[in-house]
Amino acid sequence: MLIRRAAAVAGVATLLLLPATAAAAAPSDQDTTFLKAAHQSNLAEIATGKLAQQKAASEQVKDLGARWVADHTKLDATLTDTAEALGVDLPDAPNAEQRALARRYQAASGKDFDALWIPTQMDAHMKAMRLGEQEVADGSDAQAKKVAQNSAPVVAAHHGLLEDAASDLGVPSSIGTGTGGQAATSNAPAAIGFGALGLLLVAAALVLLRRRSPAATR
């Protein structure tokens, strides 16, 4: 009888300890970094969406701005709840790069705003997609990874809408952000150029070696 009671008490104690153990488990550095950066991205997109509604010349860009505000507000509400559950303190403002870009938006208006906003927003959404992909691949907390997974289709849809707007309005799809960042594809021509230069140098060296070889054997 005593053995049964001891086993029951041990079982109850184990059950009581399980929630405490789960609650004590802290999110990984990757999860924390993702939640903070994704929150800053949402804050930046909400702010820039409001600016687009005020300063854009195109109704298409104004409509995208309204969608940014609605979608990123919804995404951030879920993210904020998750961060609170995991005990992650979130920043209260976008990062320095995002704030610098916001100042550029503030200084532009009309068609100039549209020409700046579309490609730089494509860049911002590419960065957000890469951020989410890294969390899905390397994150450890299921809740944080779910935030990334749920955000992915929304961010991808925004990027597609920006591509359509660039085509419709005749706006370039990439432009320097002014803070060291550019669209992911904008570096491709430079990389290709350096690769081609390297191949030319190798080819020239081979030609020189072939020319010298007969002379060396005489």
Side-chain angles (χ1 to χ4, degrees):
M1 188 72 176
L2 287 174
I3 294 175
R4 289 182 180 177
R5 287 182 178 178
V9 170
V12 171
T14 301
L15 290 174
L16 290 173
L17 286 173
L18 284 176
T21 302
S28 67
D29 289 343
Q30 165 60 38
D31 297 327
T32 300
T33 297
F34 164 72
L35 290 171
K36 289 182 177 181
H39 174 61
Q40 288 182 306
S41 178
N42 285 330
L43 293 180
E45 296 308 328
I46 293 167
T48 195
K50 292 177 180 178
L51 284 175
Q53 294 177 80
Q54 299 167 9
K55 300 173 73 66
S58 166
E59 287 299 323
Q60 188 173 6
V61 173
K62 290 182 179 181
D63 290 343
L64 291 182
R67 179 160 179 171
W68 273 209
V69 173
D71 288 353
H72 285 280
T73 298
K74 184 176 180 180
L75 290 177
D76 202 57
T78 302
L79 185 155
T80 301
D81 288 343
T82 300
E84 183 176 355
L86 297 177
V88 176
D89 292 329
L90 298 176
D92 57 5
N95 64 34
E97 180 178 345
Q98 292 159 345
R99 294 196 302 271
L101 183 57
R103 289 192 291 271
R104 294 180 67 189
Y105 290 151
Q106 289 279 9
S109 61
K111 291 183 178 180
D112 289 339
F113 178 91
D114 297 350
L116 172 65
W117 192 83
I118 291 173
T120 52
Q121 280 300 295
M122 291 180 73
D123 178 31
H125 281 74
M126 282 295 296
K127 290 176 181 176
M129 283 191 278
R130 289 195 294 269
L131 183 70
E133 288 168 359
Q134 184 175 0
E135 172 60 19
V136 171
D138 301 332
S140 59
D141 184 85
Q143 296 179 78
K145 292 178 76 168
K146 187 176 181 181
V147 169
Q149 291 166 343
N150 291 344
S151 299
V154 178
V155 177
H158 286 188
H159 193 272
L161 291 170
L162 288 163
E163 289 180 328
D164 292 342
S167 177
D168 294 343
L169 301 177
V171 172
S173 60
S174 64
I175 186 174
T177 63
T179 53
Q182 286 185 303
T185 55
S186 66
N187 291 326
I192 293 171
F194 283 119
L197 178 60
L199 289 174
L200 286 174
L201 290 174
V202 171
L206 289 173
V207 170
L208 288 174
L209 285 173
R210 288 177 181 174
R211 288 180 178 176
R212 291 177 181 177
S213 294
T217 55
R218 287 176 187 172

PDB file of all heavy atoms in Angstrom, residues 93-114:
ATOM      1  N   ALA A  93      11.549  50.107 -31.942  1.00  0.00           N
ATOM      2  CA  ALA A  93      11.708  50.896 -33.160  1.00  0.00           C
ATOM      3  C   ALA A  93      12.432  50.064 -34.220  1.00  0.00           C
ATOM      4  O   ALA A  93      13.128  49.098 -33.883  1.00  0.00           O
ATOM      5  CB  ALA A  93      12.496  52.171 -32.876  1.00  0.00           C
ATOM      6  N   PRO A  94      12.276  50.412 -35.491  1.00  0.00           N
ATOM      7  CA  PRO A  94      13.042  49.740 -36.542  1.00  0.00           C
ATOM      8  C   PRO A  94      14.537  49.919 -36.331  1.00  0.00           C
ATOM      9  O   PRO A  94      14.974  50.771 -35.545  1.00  0.00           O
ATOM     10  CB  PRO A  94      12.568  50.448 -37.822  1.00  0.00           C
ATOM     11  CG  PRO A  94      11.219  50.993 -37.484  1.00  0.00           C
ATOM     12  CD  PRO A  94      11.310  51.380 -36.029  1.00  0.00           C
ATOM     13  N   ASN A  95      15.345  49.131 -37.059  1.00  0.00           N
ATOM     14  CA  ASN A  95      16.795  49.244 -36.908  1.00  0.00           C
ATOM     15  C   ASN A  95      17.331  50.481 -37.630  1.00  0.00           C
ATOM     16  O   ASN A  95      16.581  51.194 -38.308  1.00  0.00           O
ATOM     17  CB  ASN A  95      17.504  47.966 -37.369  1.00  0.00           C
ATOM     18  CG  ASN A  95      17.310  47.689 -38.859  1.00  0.00           C
ATOM     19  OD1 ASN A  95      17.236  48.597 -39.677  1.00  0.00           O
ATOM     20  ND2 ASN A  95      17.231  46.412 -39.215  1.00  0.00           N
ATOM     21  N   ALA A  96      18.623  50.727 -37.506  1.00  0.00           N
ATOM     22  CA  ALA A  96      19.221  51.952 -38.056  1.00  0.00           C
ATOM     23  C   ALA A  96      19.071  52.021 -39.573  1.00  0.00           C
ATOM     24  O   ALA A  96      18.796  53.092 -40.135  1.00  0.00           O
ATOM     25  CB  ALA A  96      20.702  52.017 -37.667  1.00  0.00           C
ATOM     26  N   GLU A  97      19.251  50.905 -40.239  1.00  0.00           N
ATOM     27  CA  GLU A  97      19.115  50.888 -41.702  1.00  0.00           C
ATOM     28  C   GLU A  97      17.692  51.221 -42.118  1.00  0.00           C
ATOM     29  O   GLU A  97      17.467  52.001 -43.057  1.00  0.00           O
ATOM     30  CB  GLU A  97      19.507  49.507 -42.232  1.00  0.00           C
ATOM     31  CG  GLU A  97      19.396  49.379 -43.746  1.00  0.00           C
ATOM     32  CD  GLU A  97      19.836  48.012 -44.244  1.00  0.00           C
ATOM     33  OE1 GLU A  97      20.488  47.272 -43.481  1.00  0.00           O
ATOM     34  OE2 GLU A  97      19.530  47.680 -45.401  1.00  0.00           O
ATOM     35  N   GLN A  98      16.732  50.641 -41.425  1.00  0.00           N
ATOM     36  CA  GLN A  98      15.326  50.905 -41.749  1.00  0.00           C
ATOM     37  C   GLN A  98      14.949  52.355 -41.456  1.00  0.00           C
ATOM     38  O   GLN A  98      14.179  52.967 -42.213  1.00  0.00           O
ATOM     39  CB  GLN A  98      14.446  49.938 -40.956  1.00  0.00           C
ATOM     40  CG  GLN A  98      14.590  48.500 -41.409  1.00  0.00           C
ATOM     41  CD  GLN A  98      14.154  47.487 -40.364  1.00  0.00           C
ATOM     42  OE1 GLN A  98      13.995  47.813 -39.179  1.00  0.00           O
ATOM     43  NE2 GLN A  98      13.967  46.248 -40.773  1.00  0.00           N
ATOM     44  N   ARG A  99      15.490  52.913 -40.396  1.00  0.00           N
ATOM     45  CA  ARG A  99      15.196  54.322 -40.078  1.00  0.00           C
ATOM     46  C   ARG A  99      15.814  55.256 -41.116  1.00  0.00           C
ATOM     47  O   ARG A  99      15.205  56.270 -41.498  1.00  0.00           O
ATOM     48  CB  ARG A  99      15.706  54.670 -38.672  1.00  0.00           C
ATOM     49  CG  ARG A  99      14.989  53.937 -37.554  1.00  0.00           C
ATOM     50  CD  ARG A  99      15.253  54.587 -36.198  1.00  0.00           C
ATOM     51  NE  ARG A  99      16.661  54.640 -35.864  1.00  0.00           N
ATOM     52  CZ  ARG A  99      17.320  53.688 -35.232  1.00  0.00           C
ATOM     53  NH1 ARG A  99      16.694  52.566 -34.877  1.00  0.00           N
ATOM     54  NH2 ARG A  99      18.601  53.818 -34.934  1.00  0.00           N
ATOM     55  N   ALA A 100      17.018  54.907 -41.601  1.00  0.00           N
ATOM     56  CA  ALA A 100      17.664  55.728 -42.625  1.00  0.00           C
ATOM     57  C   ALA A 100      16.847  55.706 -43.914  1.00  0.00           C
ATOM     58  O   ALA A 100      16.691  56.734 -44.587  1.00  0.00           O
ATOM     59  CB  ALA A 100      19.082  55.230 -42.880  1.00  0.00           C
ATOM     60  N   LEU A 101      16.317  54.542 -44.257  1.00  0.00           N
ATOM     61  CA  LEU A 101      15.485  54.441 -45.455  1.00  0.00           C
ATOM     62  C   LEU A 101      14.192  55.230 -45.289  1.00  0.00           C
ATOM     63  O   LEU A 101      13.720  55.883 -46.224  1.00  0.00           O
ATOM     64  CB  LEU A 101      15.186  52.972 -45.755  1.00  0.00           C
ATOM     65  CG  LEU A 101      14.385  52.685 -47.032  1.00  0.00           C
ATOM     66  CD1 LEU A 101      15.089  53.255 -48.256  1.00  0.00           C
ATOM     67  CD2 LEU A 101      14.167  51.176 -47.193  1.00  0.00           C
ATOM     68  N   ALA A 102      13.633  55.201 -44.098  1.00  0.00           N
ATOM     69  CA  ALA A 102      12.415  55.973 -43.832  1.00  0.00           C
ATOM     70  C   ALA A 102      12.650  57.464 -44.043  1.00  0.00           C
ATOM     71  O   ALA A 102      11.773  58.185 -44.535  1.00  0.00           O
ATOM     72  CB  ALA A 102      11.925  55.707 -42.415  1.00  0.00           C
ATOM     73  N   ARG A 103      13.854  57.938 -43.687  1.00  0.00           N
ATOM     74  CA  ARG A 103      14.170  59.351 -43.907  1.00  0.00           C
ATOM     75  C   ARG A 103      14.223  59.669 -45.403  1.00  0.00           C
ATOM     76  O   ARG A 103      13.843  60.773 -45.827  1.00  0.00           O
ATOM     77  CB  ARG A 103      15.494  59.706 -43.229  1.00  0.00           C
ATOM     78  CG  ARG A 103      15.408  59.731 -41.700  1.00  0.00           C
ATOM     79  CD  ARG A 103      16.632  60.369 -41.068  1.00  0.00           C
ATOM     80  NE  ARG A 103      17.833  59.547 -41.231  1.00  0.00           N
ATOM     81  CZ  ARG A 103      18.201  58.603 -40.372  1.00  0.00           C
ATOM     82  NH1 ARG A 103      17.484  58.344 -39.298  1.00  0.00           N
ATOM     83  NH2 ARG A 103      19.316  57.919 -40.576  1.00  0.00           N
ATOM     84  N   ARG A 104      14.704  58.724 -46.190  1.00  0.00           N
ATOM     85  CA  ARG A 104      14.710  58.931 -47.646  1.00  0.00           C
ATOM     86  C   ARG A 104      13.281  58.984 -48.188  1.00  0.00           C
ATOM     87  O   ARG A 104      12.976  59.773 -49.084  1.00  0.00           O
ATOM     88  CB  ARG A 104      15.492  57.809 -48.333  1.00  0.00           C
ATOM     89  CG  ARG A 104      16.982  57.799 -48.022  1.00  0.00           C
ATOM     90  CD  ARG A 104      17.692  56.672 -48.733  1.00  0.00           C
ATOM     91  NE  ARG A 104      17.705  56.843 -50.172  1.00  0.00           N
ATOM     92  CZ  ARG A 104      18.106  55.915 -51.040  1.00  0.00           C
ATOM     93  NH1 ARG A 104      18.513  54.729 -50.603  1.00  0.00           N
ATOM     94  NH2 ARG A 104      18.095  56.161 -52.332  1.00  0.00           N
ATOM     95  N   TYR A 105      12.418  58.146 -47.649  1.00  0.00           N
ATOM     96  CA  TYR A 105      11.009  58.188 -48.059  1.00  0.00           C
ATOM     97  C   TYR A 105      10.382  59.539 -47.692  1.00  0.00           C
ATOM     98  O   TYR A 105       9.616  60.115 -48.467  1.00  0.00           O
ATOM     99  CB  TYR A 105      10.218  57.073 -47.373  1.00  0.00           C
ATOM    100  CG  TYR A 105      10.533  55.668 -47.829  1.00  0.00           C
ATOM    101  CD1 TYR A 105      10.387  54.590 -46.955  1.00  0.00           C
ATOM    102  CD2 TYR A 105      10.971  55.398 -49.126  1.00  0.00           C
ATOM    103  CE1 TYR A 105      10.653  53.298 -47.355  1.00  0.00           C
ATOM    104  CE2 TYR A 105      11.248  54.106 -49.530  1.00  0.00           C
ATOM    105  CZ  TYR A 105      11.084  53.055 -48.643  1.00  0.00           C
ATOM    106  OH  TYR A 105      11.352  51.767 -49.046  1.00  0.00           O
ATOM    107  N   GLN A 106      10.713  60.024 -46.522  1.00  0.00           N
ATOM    108  CA  GLN A 106      10.154  61.299 -46.064  1.00  0.00           C
ATOM    109  C   GLN A 106      10.559  62.442 -46.985  1.00  0.00           C
ATOM    110  O   GLN A 106       9.784  63.387 -47.192  1.00  0.00           O
ATOM    111  CB  GLN A 106      10.644  61.603 -44.638  1.00  0.00           C
ATOM    112  CG  GLN A 106      10.038  60.714 -43.561  1.00  0.00           C
ATOM    113  CD  GLN A 106       8.652  61.179 -43.134  1.00  0.00           C
ATOM    114  OE1 GLN A 106       8.063  62.071 -43.749  1.00  0.00           O
ATOM    115  NE2 GLN A 106       8.124  60.564 -42.085  1.00  0.00           N
ATOM    116  N   ALA A 107      11.759  62.355 -47.547  1.00  0.00           N
ATOM    117  CA  ALA A 107      12.272  63.433 -48.397  1.00  0.00           C
ATOM    118  C   ALA A 107      11.751  63.368 -49.821  1.00  0.00           C
ATOM    119  O   ALA A 107      11.940  64.301 -50.597  1.00  0.00           O
ATOM    120  CB  ALA A 107      13.799  63.403 -48.408  1.00  0.00           C
ATOM    121  N   ALA A 108      11.107  62.266 -50.203  1.00  0.00           N
ATOM    122  CA  ALA A 108      10.615  62.090 -51.580  1.00  0.00           C
ATOM    123  C   ALA A 108       9.103  62.249 -51.614  1.00  0.00           C
ATOM    124  O   ALA A 108       8.421  62.159 -50.591  1.00  0.00           O
ATOM    125  CB  ALA A 108      11.017  60.725 -52.116  1.00  0.00           C
ATOM    126  N   SER A 109       8.601  62.469 -52.818  1.00  0.00           N
ATOM    127  CA  SER A 109       7.148  62.552 -52.986  1.00  0.00           C
ATOM    128  C   SER A 109       6.789  62.314 -54.443  1.00  0.00           C
ATOM    129  O   SER A 109       7.646  62.396 -55.327  1.00  0.00           O
ATOM    130  CB  SER A 109       6.623  63.921 -52.535  1.00  0.00           C
ATOM    131  OG  SER A 109       7.201  64.956 -53.318  1.00  0.00           O
ATOM    132  N   GLY A 110       5.516  62.014 -54.676  1.00  0.00           N
ATOM    133  CA  GLY A 110       5.041  61.822 -56.038  1.00  0.00           C
ATOM    134  C   GLY A 110       5.730  60.672 -56.753  1.00  0.00           C
ATOM    135  O   GLY A 110       5.998  59.616 -56.181  1.00  0.00           O
ATOM    136  N   LYS A 111       6.075  60.869 -58.020  1.00  0.00           N
ATOM    137  CA  LYS A 111       6.699  59.824 -58.827  1.00  0.00           C
ATOM    138  C   LYS A 111       8.094  59.466 -58.305  1.00  0.00           C
ATOM    139  O   LYS A 111       8.528  58.325 -58.432  1.00  0.00           O
ATOM    140  CB  LYS A 111       6.766  60.263 -60.286  1.00  0.00           C
ATOM    141  CG  LYS A 111       5.403  60.344 -60.964  1.00  0.00           C
ATOM    142  CD  LYS A 111       5.537  60.706 -62.438  1.00  0.00           C
ATOM    143  CE  LYS A 111       4.175  60.728 -63.120  1.00  0.00           C
ATOM    144  NZ  LYS A 111       4.282  61.082 -64.563  1.00  0.00           N
ATOM    145  N   ASP A 112       8.781  60.452 -57.739  1.00  0.00           N
ATOM    146  CA  ASP A 112      10.093  60.167 -57.150  1.00  0.00           C
ATOM    147  C   ASP A 112       9.950  59.198 -55.975  1.00  0.00           C
ATOM    148  O   ASP A 112      10.792  58.311 -55.791  1.00  0.00           O
ATOM    149  CB  ASP A 112      10.759  61.459 -56.682  1.00  0.00           C
ATOM    150  CG  ASP A 112      11.207  62.335 -57.840  1.00  0.00           C
ATOM    151  OD1 ASP A 112      11.365  61.805 -58.955  1.00  0.00           O
ATOM    152  OD2 ASP A 112      11.391  63.543 -57.621  1.00  0.00           O
ATOM    153  N   PHE A 113       8.893  59.366 -55.223  1.00  0.00           N
ATOM    154  CA  PHE A 113       8.644  58.453 -54.104  1.00  0.00           C
ATOM    155  C   PHE A 113       8.390  57.047 -54.630  1.00  0.00           C
ATOM    156  O   PHE A 113       8.958  56.075 -54.121  1.00  0.00           O
ATOM    157  CB  PHE A 113       7.442  58.923 -53.281  1.00  0.00           C
ATOM    158  CG  PHE A 113       7.104  58.013 -52.134  1.00  0.00           C
ATOM    159  CD1 PHE A 113       7.668  58.228 -50.888  1.00  0.00           C
ATOM    160  CD2 PHE A 113       6.228  56.948 -52.308  1.00  0.00           C
ATOM    161  CE1 PHE A 113       7.373  57.384 -49.822  1.00  0.00           C
ATOM    162  CE2 PHE A 113       5.927  56.098 -51.252  1.00  0.00           C
ATOM    163  CZ  PHE A 113       6.499  56.314 -50.008  1.00  0.00           C
ATOM    164  N   ASP A 114       7.554  56.944 -55.652  1.00  0.00           N
ATOM    165  CA  ASP A 114       7.242  55.629 -56.217  1.00  0.00           C
ATOM    166  C   ASP A 114       8.500  54.936 -56.728  1.00  0.00           C
ATOM    167  O   ASP A 114       8.698  53.738 -56.509  1.00  0.00           O
ATOM    168  CB  ASP A 114       6.245  55.765 -57.374  1.00  0.00           C
ATOM    169  CG  ASP A 114       4.899  56.325 -56.922  1.00  0.00           C
ATOM    170  OD1 ASP A 114       4.674  56.426 -55.693  1.00  0.00           O
ATOM    171  OD2 ASP A 114       4.084  56.670 -57.797  1.00  0.00           O
TER     172      ASP A 114
END
